[in-house]
Amino acid sequence: MVLTLCACVFLFGCHRRPLFDPEDSAILKVRLLTDGIHNVTCDIYNPNVEVPPITSEMLRVLIYEAGGTPILSQGFLSNKTIDEGGYELFSGALALSAGEYKLLSYNFDLETIKVRYEDSYNTIEASTSEVPQYYYNRFGSRAGELGRICYAPDHLMVARAPELSIRPHFGTQYIELDARTVVDTYYIQIRITGADNMAKNASCQAVITGVSPSNQFGPDSRRYDTPASLYFEMLRNTDPNTPAGENEDVLCAVFNTFGKIPDEHSELHITLSILTRDGQTHQKVIDMTPIFATDDARQRHWLLIDEVWDIPAPIGTGGGGGFTPDVEDWDDVEETIPIGPRH
C-alpha cells in the first residue's frame, strides 16, 4: 500500500513553473562581404600591382540605446570561420534583454584607422592621422598649397543594425549581419619615359587633394565640409594594356580614400615628386577634375592620366669632365657599426 501511494504521488504531482521563461542570450554573426570592391575584388586594371587582402582577426561590437546614445555595452568577436561562400564569418554570444537597440560592428585590427566620438551611434567617426612634417618637406614650396595631408585609410568593414528589436523569447536568438567597406579603392597611373633615370629603388611620392577626411560610419556619412589631402606612393611598373610596340613603363598605385568630395574642382589636383639618379627632385602637378569625370573613374575607379611624364636624365650624363661629371647609380651599402665602450 505504501508503494502504491508513493507511485500515485509521483504520477500526479505538479511542478510549479512560470507562465513565461524568457532568455537574454543571443548569438551575433557578422560576415565580411568583400565582393564588388573596385580594384580589390573586381575591375582589376593592372594585375601586376599587388593588393593587400581584406581580412581581420577581431571585430568590435557596440550596442546603443534606440536613440543612438549612450553606449550600453561593447565587446569583441574573435571566433572566426569561413562560410560556404568563402567569406570570413565572426560569431559570439550577446546578453540582451527585451528592448530596442542600435548595433555597430567593425574590424578592430587596423593600422591606419582611428575611431573617435564613439559615445553616439550618429557621431562615431573613422579617420586617419596626419603625416609627419618631413612628408610636407618632400614637396618643397608646393607643400603650403596641399592643406592637411593624411595617410590613406585601410578598408573599414562595418555592419549595422540601426533598428534592432529584441522580443521576449525562449532559447537563443540569432542576429546575422553583413559588414561592407566604407572606403573606396582607386587605381591610378601615368605613363613615363626615362624610367631608368629614376634613383635606384625610388618611389613617386603622391598627394591628391579634394578628398573626404573621415566617415561617420554609424549613419555612413562622409565628411565633405573640411577637404583633406591624401598621401600615397606610386611605384614603377608596366601597363599590360599597352598597345604592342609602345612604351609600357608607368608609375602606378592602388590607394584607398574615404571618397572624392563631389563637385570639388579647383582643389582637385595630384602632386607627384620623384628623385632621379643625380639626387634631384622633380615634380609634376596634374588637374584631376577631368580625369574623375571619365567613365573609367566613375564606373571602375580607374584614374588613367592621359599624358606622358618624361623623367629627365641626370645632370652631366654622357659628358664627363669637371663641369659635367657623369653620375652613376647610387649603391646600397650595408656596414656593421659597433656600439659600446672601447676596449
Side-chain angles (χ1 to χ4, degrees):
M1 293 178 62
V2 174
L3 292 176
T4 303
L5 180 61
C6 290
C8 291
V9 171
F10 177 78
L11 290 174
F12 297 101
C14 63
H15 174 66
R16 185 172 178 235
R17 64 172 61 228
L19 295 178
F20 188 71
D21 186 15
E23 293 279 352
D24 289 344
S25 64
I27 298 295
L28 174 63
K29 295 183 177 181
V30 179
R31 180 175 56 164
L32 301 189
L33 282 184
T34 56
D35 59 317
I37 302 177
H38 299 295
N39 302 299
V40 179
T41 57
C42 72
D43 295 327
I44 306 298
Y45 179 86
N46 192 340
N48 297 329
V49 179
E50 183 178 357
V51 179
I54 299 177
T55 183
S56 182
E57 297 301 324
M58 182 176 294
L59 305 187
R60 187 186 185 193
V61 180
L62 301 170
I63 299 174
Y64 298 86
E65 282 193 353
T69 185
I71 294 178
L72 298 178
S73 65
Q74 60 177 303
F76 299 90
L77 301 179
S78 57
N79 181 25
K80 182 173 75 170
T81 58
I82 305 298
D83 71 1
E84 62 277 5
Y87 301 108
E88 294 182 359
L89 179 66
F90 292 81
S91 61
L94 300 178
L96 287 176
S97 58
E100 306 294 326
Y101 306 94
K102 292 183 185 293
L103 184 149
L104 271 180
S105 181
Y106 65 93
N107 46 333
F108 186 70
D109 48 349
L110 297 175
E111 294 183 5
T112 61
I113 294 287
K114 61 178 183 179
V115 174
R116 55 183 181 176
Y117 310 136
E118 59 189 32
D119 291 339
S120 170
Y121 179 94
N122 296 313
T123 62
I124 186 170
E125 183 177 82
S127 61
T128 60
S129 300
E130 183 177 3
V131 300
Q133 182 58 45
Y134 63 83
Y135 279 70
Y136 289 85
N137 298 338
R138 297 178 180 181
F139 297 92
S141 59
R142 173 71 179 160
E145 305 173 19
L146 299 176
R148 184 173 184 267
I149 305 176
C150 300
Y151 289 109
D154 296 317
H155 274 280
L156 181 66
M157 306 292 292
V158 180
R160 306 175 185 84
E163 297 180 357
L164 177 61
S165 180
I166 302 295
R167 302 302 182 199
H169 58 279
F170 290 103
T172 300
Q173 180 170 346
Y174 289 89
I175 305 167
E176 299 185 8
L177 301 174
D178 290 335
R180 290 190 176 275
T181 184
V182 299
V183 168
D184 293 337
T185 299
Y186 283 88
Y187 172 80
I188 185 172
Q189 80 168 26
I190 182 171
R191 297 189 179 278
I192 59 173
T193 58
D196 291 338
N197 297 328
M198 295 175 59
K200 187 177 181 180
N201 299 326
S203 62
C204 174
Q205 325 294 318
V207 170
I208 188 167
T209 61
V211 297
S212 172
S214 61
N215 183 297
Q216 292 177 323
F217 60 92
D220 192 15
S221 175
R222 293 175 173 177
R223 293 284 303 275
Y224 293 142
D225 55 336
T226 55
S229 296
L230 189 73
Y231 173 86
F232 57 95
E233 294 185 353
M234 300 172 66
L235 299 177
R236 177 183 173 182
N237 212 312
T238 57
D239 180 1
N241 302 294
T242 303
E246 295 187 12
N247 179 29
E248 298 181 347
D249 291 332
V250 296
L251 290 172
C252 63
V254 170
F255 68 92
N256 297 334
T257 171
F258 286 115
K260 170 192 172 294
I261 296 181
D263 303 321
E264 187 74 23
H265 295 290
S266 60
E267 296 300 326
L268 190 57
H269 292 79
I270 188 168
T271 299
L272 309 179
S273 178
I274 63 167
L275 188 70
T276 51
R277 289 188 290 117
D278 56 357
Q280 298 295 314
T281 298
H282 301 271
Q283 293 188 356
K284 186 174 183 65
V285 179
I286 302 169
D287 182 6
M288 297 296 293
T289 302
I291 298 172
F292 270 100
T294 63
D295 288 341
D296 279 335
R298 289 186 289 104
Q299 299 174 13
R300 292 170 286 275
H301 287 187
W302 296 347
L303 304 178
L304 307 177
I305 301 173
D306 189 21
E307 58 181 282
V308 178
W309 188 9
D310 182 26
I311 309 299
I315 297 174
T317 297
F323 293 101
T324 56
D326 289 331
V327 180
E328 299 179 351
D329 282 336
W330 294 4
D331 293 325
D332 294 328
V333 178
E334 295 184 6
E335 183 177 351
T336 301
I337 301 176
I339 300 177
R342 289 185 294 179
H343 296 287

